[in-house]
């Protein structure tokens, strides 16, 4: 093979020629792969996600979470009391000595996602949406869906009930009952946190054949954390009595100022 | 640099505004908008990665990782700046890191698709054989070059980036693009003619 020196023109032409012939990969569906990954909890560098506008309130909740954790570490009894049976299905309970009135107090509707209809929620939730069949509640006044369409793994459906006879209104004007449903058992990475004050009663019980928990007493606050540490901002709810239970891989949360028996009765009516 | 074709300094028409809108929407969490940016630039991202890694599979992985990283870095993206060179910079970094992590071998496995139907048809068999030989010589030299040099050459000759885009994509001052390119070409020639001047 002769290796005479190429002229500049020849080299230019050869490079241009070569550039067209390289065996480049030809990705076609990269966008799907990328957006699917964006929907996954981000391993490791969770603080990057906090920069997103979606997590504008994250520093507040992160701070609360850190406080709660520190206190839990100081009170191992509190942790042992409630967290064991819940941890298995993705809820961690932190007992804190005092729950300050949150500086950020969004309306219960904020952060619940997009307003939708029950029919639409049933179609798009990716899990069987159940609705209480209790005459006192009737049909929900508002239905919200939060989450992406494609995966379904992180869908969250919220049912908002306005004023209802026999059920006290919550401290949130116009809302008496809030129901939140999400697929908890399927997404094993999902962990939730709930900070409860010393006056809050925590009781583990069985609801509709599944494990459950009843929280009663002083207002408590919710914060939610996925596996990568992203703290959800749509966390503060009615802060009333709360019943949480798991049923067929779906986690249900019923918030209302009702007695435990009442809550269990409503839970039993979910269809 | 007499032999180097005049470098374009304009950016691709129509794109910047539209990209800026998609970037802004992506920043606000609109993943569909980001998906559109991915679709728009997946080819050049994968090609850039391929020039560095030399294997198509690695290049696709790199491109995907780079797009994910770029998404989370969008807040550091300067509003109004062109998206493509910014993205390519992330792709190139990712690809070079991948090469290093894999225990960089001295040469990469860049290859060509030789059975192209068009192009050579106008050439005589002799000219075609000569062109083929030249490609082999140049490709062989490219395989041995540093990633950074290969990248400069690819941006200019393979992807036809403008000088301004090259500066942004390489993260260097605009005035130094030409000298970088001429040094890369000098090293390419050196590699073609033997390795004596490879590290000069």
């Amino acid at each position: 093979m002769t290796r005479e020196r190429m002229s500049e023109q020849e080299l230019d032409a050869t490079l241009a020629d070569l550039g067209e012939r390289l065996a480049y990969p030809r990705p076609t569906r990269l966008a799907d792969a990328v957006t699917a990954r964006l929907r996954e909890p981000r391993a490791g560098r969770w603080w990057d996600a906090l920069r997103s506008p979606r997590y504008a309130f994250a520093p507040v909740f992160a701070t609360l979470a850190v406080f709660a954790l520190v206190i839990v570490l100081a009170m191992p009894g509190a942790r042992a009391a409630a967290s064991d049976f819940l941890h298995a299905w993705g809820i961690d309970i932190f007992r804190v000595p005092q729950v300050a009135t949150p500086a950020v107090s969004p309306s219960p509707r904020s952060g619940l996602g997009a307003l939708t209809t029950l029919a639409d929620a049933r179609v798009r939730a990716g899990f069987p949406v159940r609705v209480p069949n209790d005459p006192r509640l009737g049909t929900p006044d508002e239905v919200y869906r939060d989450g992406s369409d494609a995966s379904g793994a992180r869908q969250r459906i919220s049912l908002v009930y306005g004023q209802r006879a026999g059920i006290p209104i919550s401290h949130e004007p116009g809302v008496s009952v809030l129901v939140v449903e999400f697929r908890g058992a399927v997404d094993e990475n999902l962990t939730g946190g709930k900070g409860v004050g010393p006056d809050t009663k925590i009781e583990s019980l069985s609801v509709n054949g599944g494990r459950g928990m009843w929280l009663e007493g002083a207002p408590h606050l919710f914060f939610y954390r996925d596996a990568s540490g992203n703290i959800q901002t749509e966390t503060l709810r009615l802060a009333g009595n709360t019943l949480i239970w798991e049923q067929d891989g779906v986690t249900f949360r019923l918030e209302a100022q009702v007695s435990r028996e009442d809550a269990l009765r409503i839970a039993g009516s979910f269809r | 640099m007499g032999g180097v074709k005049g470098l374009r300094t304009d950016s691709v028409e129509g794109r910047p505004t539209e990209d800026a809108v998609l970037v802004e929407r992506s920043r606000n969490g609109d993943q569909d908008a980001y998906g559109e940016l991915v679709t728009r630039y997946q080819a050049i991202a994968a090609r850039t990665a391929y020039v560095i890694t030399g294997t198509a599979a690695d290049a696709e992985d790199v491109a995907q990782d780079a797009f994910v990283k770029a998404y989370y870095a969008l807040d550091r993206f300067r509003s109004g700046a062109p998206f493509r060179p910014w993205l390519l910079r992330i792709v190139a970094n990712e690809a070079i890191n991948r090469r290093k992590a894999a225990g960089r071998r001295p040469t990469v496995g860049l290859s060509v698709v030789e059975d192209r139907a068009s192009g050579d048809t106008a050439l005589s068999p002799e000219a075609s054989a000569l062109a083929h030989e030249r490609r082999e010589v140049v490709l062989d030299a490219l395989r041995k070059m540093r990633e950074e040099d290969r990248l400069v050459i690819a941006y200019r000759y393979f992807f036809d980036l403008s000088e301004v885009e090259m500066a942004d994509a390489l993260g260097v001052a605009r005035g130094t693009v030409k000298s970088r390119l001429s040094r890369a070409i000098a090293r390419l020639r050196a590699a073609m003619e033997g390795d004596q001047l490879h590290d000069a």
Side-chain angles (χ1 to χ4, degrees):
Chain A
M1 179 190 284
T2 54
R3 290 237 173 167
E4 65 191 83
R5 185 183 168 88
M6 284 184 213
S7 72
E8 287 181 349
Q9 287 78 4
E10 285 165 350
L11 180 56
D12 285 3
T14 303
L15 279 169
D17 192 16
L18 198 54
E20 289 175 13
R21 293 167 180 267
L22 281 179
Y24 300 114
R26 295 178 186 279
T28 50
R29 310 281 290 171
L30 204 52
D32 290 346
V34 170
T35 50
R37 278 179 61 182
L38 295 181
R39 281 192 293 270
E40 284 171 12
R42 197 168 180 222
R45 304 190 36 194
W46 56 271
W47 56 86
D48 280 346
L50 294 182
R51 293 200 180 104
S52 156
R54 285 169 53 211
Y55 300 104
F57 294 119
V60 174
F61 293 106
T63 307
L64 289 171
V66 168
F67 276 133
L69 269 174
V70 166
I71 290 155
V72 162
L73 290 177
M75 302 172 56
R79 179 178 49 189
S83 69
D84 291 352
F85 71 100
L86 289 163
H87 185 76
W89 46 284
I91 302 262
D92 286 323
I93 294 294
F94 304 131
R95 185 182 284 277
V96 298
Q98 189 182 2
V99 179
T101 304
V104 183
S105 180
S107 118
R109 291 167 178 79
S110 77
L112 292 179
L115 186 61
T116 181
T117 63
L118 192 55
D120 175 72
R122 287 187 194 280
V123 169
R124 296 165 84 171
F127 58 84
V129 173
R130 291 173 193 264
V131 177
N133 183 27
D134 187 300
R136 283 173 302 171
L137 297 186
T139 54
D141 296 314
E142 292 163 16
V143 178
Y144 293 87
R145 186 178 64 85
D146 187 32
S148 52
D149 279 359
S151 73
R154 301 177 70 187
Q155 292 280 343
R156 180 176 321 176
I157 304 298
S158 301
L159 315 174
V160 176
Y161 295 84
Q163 212 150 359
R164 292 292 189 273
I167 301 176
I169 213 79
S170 75
H171 74 275
E172 286 294 338
V175 177
S176 60
V177 177
L178 174 69
V179 172
V180 180
E181 310 182 5
F182 61 91
R183 196 153 58 176
V186 173
D187 188 355
E188 288 173 6
N189 291 326
L190 196 69
T191 55
K194 195 166 175 90
V196 297
D199 301 329
T200 302
K201 198 169 100 186
I202 308 174
E203 191 183 337
S204 87
L205 32 70
S206 167
V207 181
N208 297 347
R211 286 180 300 187
M213 170 180 66
W214 170 246
L215 294 139
E216 182 182 341
H220 36 263
L221 59 90
F222 256 106
F223 57 88
Y224 226 83
R225 200 156 47 81
D226 65 26
S228 60
N230 296 337
I231 294 160
Q232 311 287 349
T233 57
E234 68 276 17
T235 47
L236 286 173
R237 303 302 190 206
L238 302 187
N241 294 344
T242 303
L243 183 66
I244 303 177
W245 74 98
E246 188 202 6
Q247 196 170 344
D248 302 330
V250 178
T251 294
F252 295 85
R253 193 166 83 227
L254 169 70
E255 298 190 32
Q257 289 296 359
V258 296
S259 68
R260 192 188 70 150
E261 287 63 36
D262 249 0
L264 284 169
R265 202 170 301 134
I266 295 170
S269 76
F270 272 62
R271 297 285 180 272
Chain B
M1 289 303 304
V4 175
K5 286 180 277 186
L7 298 179
R8 285 188 300 116
T9 51
D10 57 327
S11 52
V12 185
E13 285 174 26
R15 282 287 167 76
T17 346
E18 225 187 315
D19 281 1
V21 171
L22 291 175
V23 166
E24 212 46 49
R25 280 166 52 196
S26 305
R27 268 183 176 167
N28 292 325
D30 182 345
Q31 294 178 349
D32 289 340
Y34 193 67
E36 214 171 316
L37 284 170
V38 174
T39 301
R40 186 171 289 181
Y41 294 117
Q42 60 184 1
I44 193 165
R47 286 173 171 225
T48 299
Y50 177 68
V51 164
I52 292 169
T53 64
T55 71
D58 278 355
E60 287 205 47
D61 285 352
V62 163
Q64 193 185 117
D65 287 353
F67 274 116
V68 171
K69 285 192 177 175
Y71 178 82
Y72 289 112
L74 278 177
D75 283 359
R76 298 196 291 278
F77 176 74
R78 192 163 49 83
S79 280
F83 179 74
R84 187 167 86 157
W86 180 80
L87 171 73
L88 290 183
R89 203 167 158 185
I90 293 173
V91 171
N93 277 338
E94 187 70 21
I96 288 170
N97 288 341
R98 176 78 57 113
R99 276 269 291 155
K100 282 179 182 158
R104 137 171 30 201
R105 293 181 309 280
T107 62
V108 293
L110 285 176
S111 57
V112 293
V113 183
E114 278 293 351
D115 56 345
R116 253 186 8 156
S118 62
D120 283 354
T121 48
L123 297 176
S124 67
E126 293 79 14
S128 180
L130 181 62
H132 173 80
E133 188 190 311
R134 281 179 179 152
R135 285 197 298 271
E136 284 300 307
V137 170
V138 173
L139 182 61
D140 206 44
L142 279 173
R143 287 185 183 126
K144 296 181 225 160
M145 293 178 76
R146 300 189 323 174
E147 287 83 9
E148 289 81 0
D149 285 338
R150 208 157 55 229
L151 193 59
V152 178
I153 290 172
Y155 280 160
R156 172 66 194 92
Y157 289 93
F158 299 174
F159 310 146
D160 210 21
L161 260 58
S162 74
E163 194 171 332
V164 170
E165 268 195 306
M166 280 180 72
D168 286 353
L170 296 168
V172 302
R174 286 172 191 183
T176 64
V177 169
K178 276 187 174 145
S179 61
R180 287 236 176 182
L181 182 57
S182 71
R183 280 207 302 276
I185 291 291
R187 291 194 191 109
L188 175 67
R189 280 197 178 276
M192 285 160 58
E193 289 157 14
D195 279 347
Q196 298 93 331
L197 297 175
H198 184 58
D199 292 321

